[in-house]
Amino acid sequence: LKGRKIPLSEIQKHASVDDAWMALNGKVYNVTRYVKFHPGGVDYLMEGAGKDATRLFHKYHKWVNVDFMLQKCFLGFFDAKST
């Protein structure tokens, strides 16, 4: 698994329906292509866009294997230490 370290400041720039990134479990995903397929609807998915959505994700999807589900959306690793 290759990928660069991505700071929160960069993730925050991608918080729209047309350009949505989120950090989940220490990895950053571009979920833009997935927005329209989210079973809970666009609004719920967008609550996590542009941020570390790990806690929110686990609140609703503890059983989901996010690495498998979003493997094609993987961009890099969340650099929580930098801003």
Side-chain angles (χ1 to χ4, degrees):
L1 192 64
K2 294 181 179 181
R4 61 188 178 92
K5 288 189 173 186
I6 302 172
L8 182 59
S9 59
E10 186 173 350
I11 296 167
Q12 290 172 330
K13 295 175 185 175
H14 304 275
S16 70
V17 173
D18 298 321
D19 182 21
W21 291 13
M22 63 177 60
L24 296 168
N25 302 325
K27 296 176 183 170
V28 179
Y29 298 94
N30 179 344
V31 296
T32 308
R33 294 186 316 180
Y34 184 70
V35 170
K36 62 184 174 187
F37 299 107
H38 186 252
V42 173
D43 293 340
Y44 281 112
L45 184 76
M46 292 309 297
E47 283 183 36
K51 58 183 84 164
D52 180 357
T54 302
R55 187 173 288 161
L56 180 65
F57 183 86
H58 286 291
K59 181 178 177 182
Y60 297 103
H61 303 300
K62 277 189 247 188
W63 62 90
V64 174
N65 182 339
V66 69
D67 291 326
F68 177 75
M69 184 178 71
L70 295 177
Q71 63 186 344
K72 292 182 180 179
C73 302
F74 175 75
L75 296 172
F77 297 95
F78 179 41
D79 187 358
K81 293 179 182 169
S82 68
T83 55

